[in-house]
Amino acid sequence: MLGQTSVMPVSKKRKKPVNKKPKNKKFKPYEAVKQQMREMAHVFPLEMTFAERHKIIVDAGENAAVKFEENYKKLQEFFGRYDPLYLCSFSILYFLGHKEGIDKEAIDGEMEFHSFFVETMQALMLFDKRTQFTIPLGAMAGELHDLLRDMNRNQSMRYSTMGKNVKDANELDPLLLRIEMMGDTLAVRNWAYEPQMKVITFELVELTRDKFTAVFDYDPVALFEVILGLVEHTNEKLNGFLQKLRLVLLEKNYRVMFEKYSKTFNVPIGSEEEQLDIWEKSGRNMKKFKGYLIAHSDFFLTELNTFGIDEMLTLTSYNFEAEKLREIMDSLSYHFGDLSDWDKDHVFLNNPVHQRPFIKLDNGRYYSGVSYLFYHLGIDLWENLLRTNAKLFNQYLLEKGKYLEGKLAALFRKEFPNGKVLLGSQWRCPDTGKTFENDLILLIEEFAVIVEAKSGMVTSPARRGAPDRLFQTLKELMVEPSEQAMRFVEYLKKNPVIHQFKTKSREINEIDASKIKYFIPLGVTLSSLGAIGSNIKKLVDAKITDKKLEELAPSISFCDLEIIFDILELQAEKLHYLARRREFDAHANFQGDELDLFGFYLDNGFNIGETEFDENFYLQLTLKSKELDPYVLGTAKSIKVKKPRLAKTKFWEDILKKLDGKGTNWLQSSYILLHAPFQDQIEFEKKFNLLKDLIRKGKMKNDHNWASFLSGPERRRYKIIGYPYENISRDDRLEMLNEIIHRELEEDIRGIMIIGADLKMPIYPYNVIAGADKTNFFDEL
């Protein structure tokens, strides 16, 4: 007799968790801070009229514009009372400084003081001559902090005044997209993690190193060892300063502290009477006295961000002529007063400091308050140098395209050992008569990932939100790769035969399109487009393209893809992410960049039930990438940090590991398993184990029993079956597995698999895996 002991419940829409972190919890360095999923209200309620939305936008911008002018005037007053270099250096230590491995933004949920506040300050202080009054900030420090914060926030909000010229709702989405890009320009710095930026910068410099050296008479690698070396060098100077000050402040007697301070920082301490006078003015309070010494030591902070040529030459392992380095540094520097004619409004979106990040001082040395930015600026600085020679720059652009394609090929071959990676397939489109070239195709089981790569950069006008340049950049880096990938997908679908594609390398790429059931189109960029790049729905809403969602592919930066593939260890997980990434992007409403989205995927595999299709549900994911930071940054420093992982029970993970790349239909089975939410995995294992116990105890009436489990929302359901058996031959077992599939397979089921367990001779985590050939994994977008 046949029977079914229980039917497990369909996954239901889960309540959103509350974003609460333990109060007063002290996080250890490089400890991941969990960012809970948060529902976010729409920027504007769906029922709000255009006129109401328009008024809110414009009013907010005009109010911010008034406040910004007030903020700017106050900042100029600060520059008149204090040495701007002192203010900048003070802000770096006290407003930006943090303990290594501790991320205040991840802990608090927001950042009070952003690094770009210092960048705008360095630019604005170059509008006039330098004031060199040596008086401490003291109680004015808090006012400076709040002023810089408010000024930058008001500047960001004042962009909403562009809405004055918006005539109807159709023009509103493009405007909001421009404002978002402008906001990213202010707030987003490295478009990849610093270790990745450093590697890519040097690899790009190497592409035309010899030709550059022949033209410009110096080694660019040596130059960038100096420029990027200043990041760590500045940190070492700062930590060395703090350590010396810390040792002074450990003393118990104020006279001994005076003497040690004098020797440590090479400053006169005055007579005993003068020392006593300061001690008395401190109320003979050691805490206040230490505050006096700390305030005095703050005047040395400027030196921490100031560099001489000889000092910089120690940062390169190559020979570098001092005069040549000085010549280059002069070209990368401003003097005080150089920006007197610069429009202050342009500082925020086109900060001149990003082109010339140093200030040349009267003593021939160079100051930079933005050395932390050099990993981010490295590629721009390199390409600016190349642009001075058109021929060399064009050669570099060709090499850069090949570089990205080579990096992609190496990445896919490494991460998909069971797949076949083919490059440069040339094919003729019968509709247009044109010949196209596909950058990369991964063939693995019934799946094909069609990749198109773009090595172009996001230009400064695009970052500033200039509509023509921004929209053109988005078309080039997002829409065009989509079109190319989808065009190749459609060609292979319409021609399900064995193809032999020629390549420029004269190799023949053979592709049997009849064996491909699932196509995953993907665009890969070298640079990042931030939150805009991770959301193709925004491009459609902003009418940047007339393509429909189903005609577009996701765009992921190479560096993000590298992180994603490193963390997802199984081939099936990587493929599942790429496939579900496209569906989720099309269905769900969210805010966040690629790694925010990936952080959310690790929580649930994008298995959030009907919520995915709820237009009124908006997910704020902006800080989810913070959960990845400790692993990526800690690992780069050889610190042992626990790798983030996709949420799975041990049983589920062990099944997936055992399946990975082995046996028939391993990828199909893995794909089905990855659609089960974590809670459903727990429930399945519980019911499966219960059924095993009942069979062992002889409490089941039927000869064959199984537990059937439905997973997923109504429009995307999968069925996973647990089948315990004993005392059955291999042939009978096979017949039984086919019988179960026949009974359980329904029209609305996307895929079905059976986990078989032999109760007499159990092999963990399973004895046999079976499934139906009939599958329909991908959603209609």
Side-chain angles (χ1 to χ4, degrees):
M1 295 175 64
L2 303 176
Q4 188 172 333
T5 59
S6 61
V7 178
M8 296 192 183
V10 175
S11 305
K12 297 180 180 178
K13 176 177 173 181
R14 288 161 171 75
K15 295 181 181 179
K16 67 181 182 68
V18 180
N19 186 24
K20 288 185 178 180
K21 297 187 180 68
K23 290 185 177 180
N24 303 320
K25 173 179 167 67
K26 289 188 177 181
F27 289 89
K28 299 175 182 177
Y30 296 102
E31 178 183 356
V33 182
K34 191 66 178 175
Q35 307 291 322
Q36 297 294 342
M37 181 183 79
R38 290 180 289 150
E39 182 180 0
M40 176 181 174
H42 276 278
V43 178
F44 301 107
L46 298 179
E47 67 274 9
M48 185 177 285
T49 66
F50 164 72
E52 292 171 328
R53 288 184 288 166
H54 185 259
K55 186 176 187 308
I56 290 172
I57 291 172
V58 175
D59 286 352
E62 290 179 342
N63 290 335
V66 172
K67 292 176 182 177
F68 169 77
E69 293 299 333
E70 295 172 356
N71 297 149
Y72 177 74
K73 184 179 179 181
K74 288 181 180 178
L75 182 62
Q76 294 306 310
E77 292 173 0
F78 263 98
F79 291 156
R81 291 199 303 268
Y82 303 92
D83 177 6
L85 298 187
Y86 162 70
L87 294 178
C88 191
S89 303
F90 185 96
S91 300
I92 293 168
L93 175 60
Y94 290 104
F95 304 157
L96 284 181
H98 62 275
K99 186 177 180 181
E100 183 179 313
I102 299 294
D103 188 340
K104 291 283 289 179
E105 184 180 19
I107 296 170
D108 299 335
E110 62 179 352
M111 187 178 288
E112 267 290 301
F113 196 92
H114 290 269
S115 60
F116 70 86
F117 296 175
V118 172
E119 296 158 41
T120 56
M121 179 163 61
Q122 178 163 320
L124 293 173
M125 70 190 187
L126 293 170
F127 280 33
D128 210 339
K129 297 299 180 182
R130 178 185 178 187
T131 301
Q132 298 193 54
F133 295 133
T134 54
I135 56 174
L137 263 174
M140 297 298 290
E143 185 174 332
L144 176 65
H145 174 281
D146 294 346
L147 175 62
L148 291 169
R149 179 197 62 198
D150 295 343
M151 182 181 70
N152 281 275
R153 288 180 177 175
N154 285 322
Q155 175 65 11
S156 297
M157 291 180 63
R158 72 188 294 208
Y159 298 136
S160 298
T161 56
M162 295 188 301
K164 287 181 180 179
N165 300 320
V166 172
K167 298 181 181 65
D168 54 43
N170 290 330
E171 296 181 356
L172 190 58
D173 283 325
L175 171 67
L176 295 177
L177 192 70
R178 288 176 60 197
I179 293 173
E180 181 176 346
M181 190 67 177
M182 294 158 79
D184 279 354
T185 297
L186 282 174
V188 176
R189 285 303 166 250
N190 293 334
W191 44 259
Y193 286 101
E194 289 184 355
Q196 292 174 300
M197 293 295 296
K198 185 176 181 179
V199 168
I200 287 178
T201 300
F202 279 112
E203 288 180 346
L204 290 178
V205 170
E206 283 284 358
L207 294 180
T208 51
R209 178 183 182 181
D210 293 341
K211 293 177 182 178
F212 184 95
T213 303
V215 172
F216 292 96
D217 197 30
Y218 70 88
D219 187 345
V221 171
L223 174 62
F224 281 91
E225 280 190 347
V226 170
I227 292 175
L228 301 190
L230 286 172
V231 180
E232 192 58 37
H233 182 62
T234 304
N235 283 335
E236 289 173 357
K237 289 174 72 172
L238 174 60
N239 288 325
F241 166 81
L242 293 175
Q243 181 60 21
K244 289 191 294 185
L245 181 61
R246 192 176 293 114
L247 292 175
V248 170
L249 299 178
L250 285 174
E251 298 296 340
K252 304 297 183 183
N253 180 280
Y254 83 92
R255 287 193 183 278
V256 176
M257 199 176 291
F258 254 132
E259 291 175 6
K260 194 164 186 177
Y261 182 80
S262 174
K263 291 178 181 178
T264 300
F265 294 99
N266 194 27
V267 293
I269 59 174
S271 64
E272 289 188 4
E273 290 76 12
E274 290 171 324
Q275 294 177 36
L276 179 60
D277 182 55
I278 293 173
W279 175 244
E280 293 291 347
K281 287 179 179 177
S282 301
R284 293 178 173 266
N285 183 295
M286 185 58 77
K287 185 176 181 180
K288 290 182 179 179
F289 178 69
K290 289 180 179 179
Y292 165 80
L293 289 184
I294 292 172
H296 188 277
S297 72
D298 288 341
F299 292 115
F300 295 105
L301 295 178
T302 298
E303 182 61 27
L304 305 180
N305 300 288
T306 304
F307 319 99
I309 292 295
D310 290 341
E311 179 183 357
M312 288 189 279
L313 286 172
T314 64
L315 301 177
T316 177
S317 55
Y318 296 93
N319 292 326
F320 207 151
E321 292 183 9
E323 284 310 307
K324 176 61 72 172
L325 179 58
R326 187 178 299 280
E327 177 188 329
I328 298 167
M329 288 301 298
D330 286 350
S331 71
L332 295 175
S333 301
Y334 289 108
H335 292 86
F336 276 94
D338 278 359
L339 299 182
S340 58
D341 296 329
W342 197 277
D343 187 335
K344 68 178 184 297
D345 292 340
H346 293 171
V347 164
F348 294 84
L349 294 178
N350 186 26
N351 194 328
V353 166
H354 293 170
Q355 307 299 317
R356 295 162 70 177
F358 297 94
I359 302 172
K360 187 170 184 180
L361 306 180
D362 293 339
N363 59 8
R365 304 178 78 215
Y366 302 87
Y367 176 90
S368 181
V370 296
S371 61
Y372 59 83
L373 192 60
F374 289 169
Y375 289 134
H376 169 74
L377 293 181
I379 296 173
D380 283 341
L381 293 176
W382 167 234
E383 295 192 351
N384 287 341
L385 291 171
L386 286 168
R387 282 189 180 92
T388 61
N389 186 296
K391 181 181 178 181
L392 187 58
F393 184 61
N394 288 331
Q395 290 174 340
Y396 163 78
L397 291 180
L398 290 174
E399 293 298 322
K400 186 179 172 186
K402 296 176 185 176
Y403 163 80
L404 178 57
E405 291 170 11
K407 295 278 283 187
L408 268 173
L411 181 66
F412 272 84
R413 283 172 176 150
K414 175 189 171 204
E415 301 295 342
F416 293 95
N418 286 84
K420 182 180 180 182
V421 175
L422 301 173
L423 309 177
S425 299
Q426 296 177 340
W427 61 282
R428 187 176 179 277
C429 177
D431 297 331
T432 64
K434 294 181 180 180
T435 298
F436 296 96
E437 182 177 359
N438 165 249
D439 289 329
L440 182 149
I441 181 169
L442 167 71
L443 302 173
I444 182 166
E445 300 293 313
E446 295 181 308
F447 291 78
V449 182
I450 311 291
V451 183
E452 296 294 342
K454 290 292 180 182
S455 61
M457 303 292 282
V458 183
T459 63
S460 294
R463 290 194 188 105
R464 293 197 299 270
D468 293 342
R469 296 298 291 274
L470 170 60
F471 297 165
Q472 183 60 34
T473 297
L474 293 175
K475 285 179 181 178
E476 290 174 358
L477 298 186
M478 291 184 67
V479 178
E480 288 180 12
S482 283
E483 291 177 341
Q484 292 168 12
M486 294 302 298
R487 190 185 296 120
F488 194 35
V489 167
E490 290 306 312
Y491 175 77
L492 293 175
K493 281 183 176 180
K494 290 178 181 178
N495 298 276
V497 297
I498 297 176
H499 299 272
Q500 291 188 327
F501 297 115
K502 294 180 180 180
T503 67
K504 289 180 180 178
S505 64
R506 297 185 178 180
E507 293 182 3
I508 299 297
N509 288 342
E510 185 171 289
I511 298 174
D512 188 349
S514 67
K515 293 183 178 179
I516 304 173
K517 188 172 182 180
Y518 300 107
F519 292 89
I520 303 173
L522 176 67
V524 177
T525 58
L526 186 58
S527 63
S528 172
L529 289 162
I532 292 175
S534 66
N535 201 323
I536 56 175
K537 192 183 291 184
K538 289 182 180 179
L539 269 66
V540 176
D541 292 343
K543 297 177 178 59
I544 289 176
T545 175
D546 56 3
K547 298 290 182 182
K548 298 177 182 178
L549 277 172
E550 60 269 24
E551 298 175 306
L552 293 170
S555 176
I556 302 178
S557 78
F558 174 79
C559 290
D560 287 349
L561 195 63
E562 200 173 38
I563 297 296
I564 291 165
F565 281 2
D566 173 55
I567 291 175
L568 295 177
E569 296 181 345
L570 303 179
Q571 297 174 83
E573 291 175 336
K574 297 176 179 69
L575 210 64
H576 184 259
Y577 178 78
L578 294 179
R580 286 290 289 126
R581 163 75 174 75
R582 184 173 184 233
E583 294 173 343
F584 194 81
D585 192 354
H587 296 150
N589 297 307
F590 63 89
Q591 179 64 27
D593 62 23
E594 186 65 42
L595 291 185
D596 292 323
L597 201 56
F598 177 60
F600 182 64
Y601 173 83
L602 292 179
D603 282 350
N604 49 50
F606 291 148
N607 298 311
I608 58 172
E610 298 294 345
T611 299
E612 180 179 338
F613 314 103
D614 186 348
E615 291 188 0
N616 295 310
F617 198 86
Y618 200 95
L619 289 168
Q620 173 56 271
L621 305 176
T622 303
L623 294 180
K624 286 299 289 183
S625 61
K626 291 289 183 181
E627 297 172 12
L628 314 178
D629 291 357
Y631 168 72
V632 178
L633 296 174
T635 302
K637 292 179 176 288
S638 299
I639 297 170
K640 191 173 181 180
V641 181
K642 185 178 179 181
K643 179 186 283 193
R645 57 184 288 273
L646 178 62
K648 303 185 293 290
T649 65
K650 185 178 185 305
F651 179 58
W652 229 250
E653 182 164 10
D654 290 341
I655 294 175
L656 286 163
K657 282 182 177 179
K658 185 175 178 180
L659 279 172
D660 195 43
K662 304 177 188 73
T664 305
N665 295 331
W666 65 272
L667 191 49
Q668 286 187 12
S669 298
S670 299
Y671 199 85
I672 294 171
L673 288 169
L674 288 167
H675 272 79
F678 183 78
Q679 189 59 40
D680 289 347
Q681 297 171 26
I682 295 174
E683 289 298 317
F684 174 85
E685 187 176 1
K686 188 186 300 182
K687 295 290 178 68
F688 192 21
N689 288 335
L690 176 61
L691 178 57
K692 290 177 186 177
D693 287 341
L694 291 173
I695 293 173
R696 288 190 187 101
K697 294 175 181 177
K699 294 185 177 181
M700 300 304 297
K701 296 179 181 178
N702 301 319
D703 294 334
H704 298 281
N705 303 273
W706 61 89
S708 181
F709 161 59
L710 283 172
S711 177
E714 186 173 348
R715 63 179 283 178
R716 187 175 59 243
R717 285 189 174 178
Y718 293 86
K719 187 172 284 188
I720 303 173
I721 295 168
Y723 171 50
Y725 59 87
E726 56 185 353
N727 302 323
I728 184 173
S729 69
R730 189 175 184 279
D731 290 342
D732 288 343
R733 184 187 69 190
L734 180 60
E735 183 180 342
M736 193 62 238
L737 291 172
N738 288 327
E739 178 68 21
I740 294 172
I741 291 171
H742 175 73
R743 285 174 171 256
E744 293 288 344
L745 194 58
E746 303 168 31
E747 277 300 317
D748 63 341
I749 298 298
R750 295 295 187 90
I752 186 171
M753 69 166 293
I754 303 172
I755 303 172
D758 188 332
L759 299 182
K760 294 295 185 182
M761 301 178 65
I763 300 175
Y764 180 81
Y766 62 82
N767 286 82
V768 64
I769 290 286
D773 291 332
K774 181 183 177 183
T775 58
N776 180 25
F777 290 152
F778 287 5
D779 242 0
E780 292 294 327
L781 302 187

